[in-house]
């Protein structure tokens, strides 16, 4: 098996007590022991049954009461070597016996499932001493393999516990597995699987067959407006690293011969009842919406003329309810036997969407004025989209883009991703189940979600506007590096231009002497942890003796602020009500909010504090979320952001003038 260029993976030493363990890595639905797996999944490989029977009959001494050189107690290396040799022999024999059939020789390789680098097809071995549930490791290997290469629709695998083999398939819904069989007793079944891996074409093995290579370029053929068109794929922009889910991947591209026309090719898997993002973007483009990624083309991905889909095409319509064992990621609870019939799996279709605008995440803006200007433009785009009858529904940092390349004809700043959008013309008040997050629960990106939304209120434009506030705050805070992406934290200072960094250093240098002067005074102050709004005026010392001088200690009031206030927001390590409470703690009192900013905002983003305070005052009603719709909030937020941008630019000019003098 040529595992370096294919999509499969395998693992050995499948100890029996781990054989049907819950896949805890992502909590995906898994169906084990499907009785029709071989006939349905492998049966679509033409001529496989006859080839397997003929090959086994011609094995001679290679298979007699079991496979030659098989050992129950072999170690990892010997087992992998044995499998590699046997697989190569069977493939070579098949190549001689089966005429007119293309056979791709694929060889086994060994890799460590704990390493970060995997080849395109993995074979790993887990020993019993390690006490790692085997299936968790298999799932980890599958996740890495499925998210490698230019695109994989699904992957094959097998586990081997002693002589008991089980076949696996991982796709964007979850995983399915065959019943186990003894390779030494059912040699034909084993030969059938090995030959299937060699006989399968690229589509059957799980690759995305829409891409080709021409003169060293990766290309994609599409049919747009009834005309054939070819796109050059330049580079990967984004990849969803989850095993199950939408499986989104984006590439930068351009039409052949037109490098000046930047495009983004986005592929993902969509439930038929979920939001049709492509149609929303097409509608927005047709209505002239500004500062939102514009529509170019979309299509269903076809495999042999049929729409690429998980349940009926990839899994062959297998009934998951016939599985002997079923598992589902609901708090790690084992569902036995089978998977609950109350939550049947729905089809998931492979979709390709192509957009006309390309940029970079807004947190990569080269300067703070550019950052604020980008936020203002994105809010303009949101307003334009809303006026066109579409609500974005998922404002987050990675859905706000900025374009600072003068040669790029895309919007200067714009919104992307309408996969949680709402078509308001449909009078849809609340999202259905399919538009909820993959983990279930409230919609949106956790750190950016509005408080009312966390409380269970329906989605609305006011919630999205509040999300812009949380995005700017989240970007500005000095979060623990293990709980926030580098690009969304203060680490993004490395992406800013050197001039801004130099100016920041100058400001810090000017402030150093003043800070030192305060140190001695701070050392003698008493720290009292009380509410910042409490009256702290020192009381007269009525008990002092006449003629005795007694100094009142100067009291510095410091609110008790949880150092972990922002920890875990991007992962929701607590429920939505707890997250709402955390956010309320931050915004409820203006003085406390200012102190929180002073404590948590990264030094580079300190100049944004006045802007954050102004936004806080307008977005909230005396420290409480706004419940009534207020369309003027759009223009007010845009004005605050642009005025703050002007203030930063003016301060910059003054600093430059001061240095010249």
């Amino acid at each position: 098996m040529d595992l370096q260029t294919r999509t499969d993976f395998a693992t050995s030493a499948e100890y029996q007590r781990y054989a049907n363990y819950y896949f805890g890595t992502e909590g995906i639905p898994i169906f084990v022991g499907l009785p029709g797996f071989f006939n349905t999944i492998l049966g679509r490989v033409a001529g496989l049954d006859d080839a397997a029977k003929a090959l086994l009959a011609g094995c001679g001494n290679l298979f007699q009461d079991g496979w030659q050189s098989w050992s129950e107690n072999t170690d990892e290396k010997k087992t992998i070597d044995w499998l590699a040799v046997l697989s190569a022999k069977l493939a070579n024999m098949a190549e001689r016996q089966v005429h007119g059939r293309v056979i791709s020789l694929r060889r086994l390789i060994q890799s460590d499932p704990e390493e970060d680098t995997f080849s395109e097809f993995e074979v790993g071995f887990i020993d019993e001493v390690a006490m790692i549930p085997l299936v968790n490791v298999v799932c980890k290997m599958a996740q890495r393999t499925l998210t490698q290469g230019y695109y994989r629709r699904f992957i094959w695998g097998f586990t081997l516990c002693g002589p008991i083999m089980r076949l696996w398939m991982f796709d964007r819904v979850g995983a399915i597995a065959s019943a186990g069989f003894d390779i030494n007793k059912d040699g034909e079944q084993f030969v059938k699987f090995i030959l299937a891996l060699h006989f399968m074409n690229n589509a059957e093995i799980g690759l995305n067959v829409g891409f080709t290579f021409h003169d060293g370029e990766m290309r994609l053929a599409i049919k747009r407006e009834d005309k054939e068109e070819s796109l050059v794929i330049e580079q990967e922009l984004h990849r969803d690293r989850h095993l199950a889910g939408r499986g989104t991947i984006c590439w930068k591209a351009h039409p052949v011969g037109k490098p000046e026309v930047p495009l983004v090719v986005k592929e993902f898997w969509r439930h038929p009842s979920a939001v049709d993002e492509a149609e929303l973007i097409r509608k927005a483009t047709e209505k002239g919406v500004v500062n939102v990624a514009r529509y170019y083309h979309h299509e269903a991905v076809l495999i042999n003329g049929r729409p690429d889909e998980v349940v009926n095409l990839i899994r062959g319509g297998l009934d998951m309810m016939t599985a002997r064992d079923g598992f589902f990621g609901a708090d790690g609870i084992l569902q036995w036997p089978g998977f609950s019939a109350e939550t049947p799996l729905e089809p998931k279709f492979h979709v390709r969407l192509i957009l006309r605008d390309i940029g970079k995440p807004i947190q990569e803006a080269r300067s703070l004025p550019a950052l604020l200007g980008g936020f203002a433009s994105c809010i303009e785009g949101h307003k334009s989209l809303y006026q066109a009858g579409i609500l974005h529904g998922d404002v987050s940092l990675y859905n706000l883009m900025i374009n600072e390349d003068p040669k790029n004809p895309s919007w200067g700043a714009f919104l992307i991703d309408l996969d949680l959008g709402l078509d308001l013309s449909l009078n849809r008040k609340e999202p259905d189940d399919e538009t909820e997050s993959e983990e279930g629960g409230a919609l949106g990106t956790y750190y950016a979600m509005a408080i009312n939304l966390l409380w269970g209120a329906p989605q609305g434009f006011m919630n999205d506007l509040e999300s812009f506030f949380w995005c700017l705050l989240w970007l500005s805070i000095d979060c623990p590096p293990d709980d926030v992406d580098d690009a969304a934290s203060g680490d993004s200072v490395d992406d800013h231009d050197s001039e801004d960094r130099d100016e920041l250093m100058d400001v810090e240098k000017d402030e150093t002497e003043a800070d030192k002067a305060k140190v001695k005074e701070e050392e003698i102050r008493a720290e009292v942890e009380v509410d910042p709004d409490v009256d702290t005026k020192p009381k007269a010392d009525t008990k002092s003796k006449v003629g005795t001088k007694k100094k009142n200690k100067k009291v510095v009031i410091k609110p008790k602020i949880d150092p972990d206030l922002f920890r875990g927001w991007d992962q929701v390590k607590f429920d939505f009500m707890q997250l709402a409470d955390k956010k309320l703690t931050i915004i409820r009192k203006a003085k406390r909010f200012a102190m929180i900013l002073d404590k948590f905002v990264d030094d580079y983003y300190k100049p944004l504090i006045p802007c954050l305070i102004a936004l806080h005052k307008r977005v909230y009603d005396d420290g409480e979320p706004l419940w009534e719709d207020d369309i003027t909030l759009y223009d007010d937020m845009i004005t605050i952001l642009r005025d703050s941008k002007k203030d930063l630019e003016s301060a910059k000019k003054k600093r430059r003038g001061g240095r010249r003098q």
Side-chain angles (χ1 to χ4, degrees):
M1 286 174 283
D2 182 3
L3 310 179
Q4 295 179 343
T5 59
R6 313 307 286 178
T7 64
D8 313 73
F9 83 97
T11 186
S12 185
E14 183 185 12
Y15 295 102
Q16 193 61 44
R17 62 177 174 165
Y18 296 150
N20 294 318
Y21 196 87
Y22 162 70
F23 273 81
T25 303
E26 292 192 13
I28 61 175
I30 302 153
F31 302 92
V32 182
L34 288 165
F37 189 101
F38 284 97
N39 292 336
T40 302
I41 305 298
L42 299 184
R44 54 196 176 200
V45 181
L48 183 62
D49 288 342
D50 292 340
K53 290 178 182 178
L55 188 60
L56 188 64
C59 279
N61 294 333
L62 191 60
F63 183 80
Q64 289 185 345
D65 297 326
W67 291 102
Q68 188 182 72
S69 302
W70 169 260
S71 173
E72 292 282 356
N73 298 317
T74 187
D75 62 19
E76 296 175 6
K77 188 177 186 309
K78 289 182 179 179
T79 300
I80 194 70
D81 290 344
W82 178 83
L83 280 171
V85 171
L86 179 58
S87 175
K89 285 182 179 179
L90 292 175
N92 290 330
M93 292 171 61
E95 198 166 22
R96 293 193 299 268
Q97 295 181 19
V98 183
H99 300 288
R101 184 70 189 249
V102 177
I103 296 177
S104 298
L105 182 63
R106 302 174 181 126
R107 61 185 180 83
L108 292 168
I109 61 172
Q110 186 176 11
S111 62
D112 184 353
E114 294 303 312
E115 291 180 355
D116 290 333
T117 55
F118 279 71
S119 62
E120 295 202 3
F121 180 101
E122 317 303 338
V123 181
F125 294 86
I126 315 302
D127 61 26
E128 191 170 13
V129 178
M131 297 303 291
I132 302 174
L134 174 70
V135 289
N136 282 330
V137 178
V138 174
C139 189
K140 182 178 180 181
M141 296 170 69
Q143 177 186 12
R144 293 180 179 178
T145 308
L146 188 60
T147 56
Q148 283 183 350
Y150 60 92
Y151 203 67
R152 300 168 188 268
R153 300 162 45 241
F154 61 90
I155 57 172
W156 289 94
F158 67 84
T159 53
L160 193 62
C161 175
I164 305 301
M165 174 173 278
R166 190 188 304 278
L167 275 58
W168 294 83
M169 177 189 283
F170 293 84
D171 53 40
R172 293 304 181 177
V173 170
I176 59 175
S178 71
F181 66 94
D182 191 322
I183 63 173
N184 287 318
K185 294 180 180 179
D186 195 346
E188 183 179 328
Q189 198 79 293
F190 175 72
V191 170
K192 185 183 294 186
F193 175 61
I194 296 298
L195 285 186
L197 293 178
H198 295 301
F199 282 6
M200 288 177 181
N201 58 35
N202 284 344
E204 292 168 334
I205 207 73
L207 293 181
N208 189 339
V209 294
F211 296 89
T212 59
F213 290 88
H214 180 77
D215 293 336
E217 291 181 336
M218 182 175 169
R219 294 191 178 182
L220 173 65
I222 62 173
K223 189 172 183 179
R224 176 175 176 259
E225 299 176 349
D226 296 326
K227 295 180 181 179
E228 299 291 336
E229 190 171 329
S230 182
L231 307 181
V232 176
I233 304 298
E234 298 182 34
Q235 67 182 78
E236 182 180 307
L237 299 173
H238 166 78
R239 183 187 293 262
D240 182 356
R241 298 292 176 180
H242 292 90
L243 181 57
R246 288 170 59 86
T248 302
I249 183 170
C250 298
W251 296 276
K252 180 182 179 181
H254 66 263
V256 171
K258 298 180 179 179
E260 73 280 1
V261 181
L263 299 173
V264 173
V265 177
K266 176 180 179 180
E267 293 202 7
F268 56 95
W269 297 80
R270 173 182 172 269
H271 284 291
S273 58
V275 173
D276 192 339
E277 179 184 10
E279 287 300 328
L280 288 181
I281 291 179
R282 175 153 62 180
K283 176 182 176 180
T285 301
E286 290 173 350
K287 290 196 171 188
V289 170
V290 301
N291 296 346
V292 174
R294 289 166 287 190
Y295 177 88
Y296 187 81
H297 173 69
H298 85 283
E299 62 188 15
V301 176
L302 302 179
I303 300 295
N304 298 324
R306 295 177 58 189
D308 193 12
E309 184 270 323
V310 173
V311 174
N312 296 305
L313 182 68
I314 294 177
R315 296 190 178 186
L318 280 171
D319 184 1
M320 300 299 109
M321 299 305 112
T322 64
R324 191 194 72 185
D325 306 326
F327 307 86
F328 186 68
D331 301 323
I333 298 174
L334 176 67
Q335 308 290 326
W336 184 278
F339 184 62
S340 173
E342 297 178 359
T343 54
L345 297 180
E346 291 190 11
K348 217 169 193 180
F349 290 89
H350 191 180
V351 179
R352 180 177 295 131
L353 171 63
I354 304 176
L355 305 170
R356 284 197 284 145
D357 291 280
I358 186 169
K360 58 186 179 181
I362 199 166
Q363 57 265 36
E364 296 179 19
R366 289 198 295 261
S367 68
L368 295 182
L371 176 71
L372 295 183
F375 265 85
S377 295
C378 286
I379 293 177
E380 278 188 334
H382 192 283
K383 180 182 180 180
S384 180
L385 190 67
Y386 181 69
Q387 290 173 334
I390 300 171
L391 183 68
H392 187 279
D394 186 20
V395 173
S396 63
L397 284 172
Y398 285 98
N399 288 342
L400 309 179
M401 308 299 288
I402 191 167
N403 166 30
E404 298 180 282
D405 181 359
K407 297 180 180 179
N408 184 352
S410 305
W411 297 115
F414 56 96
L415 292 164
I416 62 170
D417 284 359
L418 295 182
D419 52 317
L420 294 182
L422 296 176
D423 187 341
L424 301 177
S425 66
L426 301 179
N427 295 319
R428 184 172 158 198
K429 298 299 183 182
E430 295 186 11
D432 58 31
D433 292 340
E434 288 302 332
T435 60
E436 292 188 356
S437 63
E438 295 293 343
E439 297 80 5
L443 290 165
T445 304
Y446 301 134
Y447 67 80
M449 288 174 66
I451 295 172
N452 288 340
L453 198 60
L454 292 169
W455 280 338
Q459 184 61 280
F461 77 89
M462 294 290 287
N463 293 329
D464 275 8
L465 288 177
E466 184 182 343
S467 291
F468 280 104
F469 165 80
W470 288 113
C471 283
L472 187 58
L473 177 61
W474 182 254
L475 173 60
S476 303
I477 59 175
D478 188 11
C479 284
D482 61 330
D483 279 332
V484 61
D485 295 334
D486 288 344
S489 71
D491 294 340
S492 61
V493 68
D494 294 334
D495 297 325
H496 296 282
D497 58 15
S498 58
E499 183 180 352
D500 273 4
R501 288 197 299 269
D502 291 342
E503 290 184 0
L504 175 63
M505 292 175 65
D506 289 341
V507 172
E508 290 177 343
K509 184 177 180 181
D510 293 340
E511 292 176 348
T512 300
E513 295 302 322
D515 289 340
K516 288 181 178 179
K518 295 180 181 179
V519 171
K520 191 171 183 179
E521 180 182 355
E522 292 288 344
E523 288 177 348
I524 64 173
R525 291 181 177 180
E527 295 187 359
V528 182
E529 293 184 345
V530 297
D531 191 290
D533 292 337
V534 173
D535 183 11
T536 59
K537 185 177 180 181
K539 296 181 180 180
D541 186 2
T542 57
K543 296 183 179 180
S544 298
K545 294 182 180 180
V546 177
T548 302
K549 293 183 179 180
K550 184 175 181 179
K551 293 183 179 180
N552 289 325
K553 288 185 179 180
K554 188 174 182 180
V555 180
V556 176
I557 305 305
K558 293 187 177 180
K560 186 175 182 180
I561 299 176
D562 182 2
D564 296 328
L565 187 59
F566 292 96
R567 186 179 293 274
W569 284 26
D570 52 342
Q571 301 169 6
V572 183
K573 296 178 179 178
F574 26 73
D575 62 33
F576 295 126
M577 295 303 292
Q578 287 178 313
L579 181 55
D581 289 342
K582 287 255 186 181
K583 291 192 172 188
L584 276 175
T585 299
I586 292 169
I587 60 96
R588 180 153 277 169
K589 295 179 180 180
K591 291 182 180 179
R592 183 181 180 86
F593 177 68
M595 292 179 181
I596 288 173
L597 294 181
D598 186 63
K599 178 178 178 64
F600 286 100
V601 169
D602 182 80
D603 286 342
Y604 177 77
Y605 294 102
K606 290 287 188 185
L608 299 185
I609 288 180
C611 179
L612 286 166
I613 290 175
L615 287 172
H616 169 266
K617 183 177 180 180
R618 179 61 184 90
V619 171
Y620 297 100
D621 180 15
D622 195 23
E624 295 292 334
L626 295 171
W627 287 94
E628 299 295 329
D629 288 350
D630 181 3
I631 199 69
T632 64
L633 183 58
Y634 275 112
D635 291 339
D636 290 346
M637 292 183 70
I638 291 170
T639 298
I640 290 170
L641 288 163
R642 288 187 171 153
D643 286 348
S644 298
K645 176 187 176 183
K646 291 178 182 178
D647 291 342
L648 291 178
E649 290 171 338
S650 297
K652 188 183 216 180
K653 290 179 181 179
K654 288 180 180 179
R655 289 195 297 270
R656 285 177 176 173
R659 285 202 296 267
R660 291 193 188 99
Q661 294 176 2

